[in-house]
Amino acid sequence: MSITYHDPASLDDMRQACRFASEVLDYLTPFIQPGITTNEIDRLAAEYMVKQGTTSATVGYQGSGSVPFPKSLCTSVNHVVCHGIPDDKPLKKGDIMNIDVTVVYKGWFGDNSRMFIVGDASIAAKRLCQITFEAMWLGIQQVKPGAHLGDVGHAIQKFAEGNGYSVVREFCGHGVGRRFHEEPQVLHYGRPGTLEELRPGMIFTIEPMINAGKRDIKEDHRGGKYDGWTIVTRDRSLSAQWEHTVLVTETGYEVLTLSDGSPPLPSFVTATRT
């Protein structure tokens, strides 16, 4: 699959799709409290998407597997690395959770995710969430014409590993636009100056998955059966992930998945568009 390049001047609907995706997370934020189930979070999100005029990209999505994803979003709690399926288990105080939302608006896909801390959590859990957030933004800041995807991955890996964490290798960011998943593949580790050269009009996600323990992951076979989606850390250590969709501009980058309720930027980030 070849990389698609877009004219930034004609991307108003893509910008709106990404803004809508972020606003779903804004809407859900006050509901993330001890006692709520991830199924209830999924229901709230689905209802809100109807009000927006968007649809969920994940319902029925099969990807490279054979099991259609059954829900409107992914909820990955504690040691779940990604693709957690909402269920009826109540969240408890101290849980951390990634909510991954992709909406479709006028044929454009807006994709983003955030970490949520349920009630209050341990210092270690909070630090993992914060370091992962900063790692994502350090990766974003590498984006500009002439840079390489290896620069993005290197910035993320160096920061995460320098803080004592590990980077998941099996899952990565991806191109996005008129299709849910496009080229390029955006690795969250690597060497500077390697991989694809960035050019204006490229749109892709940066979405590092960072583990508190070792980087090894596995399928979740709770009850002796795999649901086709849920991935967990092999050592059951906590995992965190943040995700933004980014456009390469003529002079730098534009973060498309921002909204009024987006978390405050790290202190070292001075602009969301360059």
Side-chain angles (χ1 to χ4, degrees), residues 181-197:
H181 295 96
E182 303 177 346
E183 293 297 327
Q185 302 297 297
V186 182
L187 305 182
H188 302 115
Y189 61 95
R191 293 184 293 111
T194 63
L195 304 178
E196 192 73 35
E197 181 176 343

Side-chain angles (χ1 to χ4, degrees), residues 25-179:
L25 295 173
D26 294 351
Y27 173 73
L28 292 174
T29 297
F31 295 101
I32 311 303
Q33 300 291 338
I36 194 171
T37 67
T38 49
N39 261 341
E40 178 67 5
I41 293 168
D42 184 79
R43 183 189 66 79
L44 290 166
E47 291 178 353
Y48 190 72
M49 290 177 197
V50 171
K51 294 178 182 178
Q52 287 180 321
T54 66
T55 56
S56 169
T58 57
V59 175
Y61 180 74
Q62 286 186 252
S64 59
S66 59
V67 180
F69 194 81
K71 299 291 184 175
S72 297
L73 45 71
C74 300
T75 50
S76 301
V77 181
N78 294 332
H79 71 291
V80 177
V81 175
C82 61
H83 304 158
I85 300 174
D87 59 24
D88 287 324
K89 183 179 179 180
L91 295 174
K92 63 183 184 299
K93 181 180 178 181
D95 285 340
I96 62 171
M97 173 177 59
N98 177 270
I99 300 181
D100 194 338
V101 170
T102 306
V103 303
V104 187
Y105 175 73
K106 294 185 177 181
W108 294 92
F109 289 74
D111 188 4
N112 69 163
S113 78
R114 294 181 199 168
M115 290 302 297
F116 292 86
I117 295 173
V118 183
D120 195 12
S122 67
I123 293 174
K126 291 177 182 177
R127 182 173 184 268
L128 172 65
C129 294
Q130 183 62 30
I131 292 297
T132 306
F133 183 60
E134 293 177 7
M136 174 190 66
W137 275 102
L138 285 167
I140 290 171
Q141 289 196 309
Q142 306 307 308
V143 175
K144 62 182 178 181
H148 291 258
L149 286 175
D151 302 334
V152 175
H154 176 74
I156 291 169
Q157 180 184 11
K158 181 179 179 181
F159 182 71
E161 292 180 354
N163 279 280
Y165 300 117
S166 61
V167 180
V168 172
R169 306 292 182 94
E170 291 83 354
F171 294 92
C172 61
H174 54 87
V176 63
R178 286 286 190 177
R179 294 184 297 274

Side-chain angles (χ1 to χ4, degrees), residues 170-272:
E170 291 83 354
F171 294 92
C172 61
H174 54 87
V176 63
R178 286 286 190 177
R179 294 184 297 274
F180 195 169
H181 295 96
E182 303 177 346
E183 293 297 327
Q185 302 297 297
V186 182
L187 305 182
H188 302 115
Y189 61 95
R191 293 184 293 111
T194 63
L195 304 178
E196 192 73 35
E197 181 176 343
L198 304 185
R199 291 170 49 189
M202 293 172 67
I203 303 175
F204 49 79
T205 67
I206 297 177
E207 47 179 303
M209 302 172 199
I210 308 295
N211 296 344
K214 296 182 179 180
R215 67 177 180 86
D216 306 277
I217 63 175
K218 64 178 182 177
E219 297 174 348
D220 185 15
H221 286 268
R222 283 178 297 178
K225 183 179 179 181
Y226 181 48
D227 61 23
W229 287 97
T230 307
I231 301 296
V232 298
T233 54
R234 186 171 293 276
D235 60 8
R236 295 188 65 84
S237 62
L238 293 178
S239 187
Q241 179 189 19
W242 293 82
E243 176 184 14
H244 271 310
T245 295
V246 181
L247 166 69
V248 183
T249 66
E250 293 291 338
T251 55
Y253 64 83
E254 179 184 348
V255 181
L256 301 178
T257 38
L258 288 170
S259 56
D260 290 343
S262 292
L265 304 177
S267 59
F268 57 81
V269 177
T270 58
T272 60

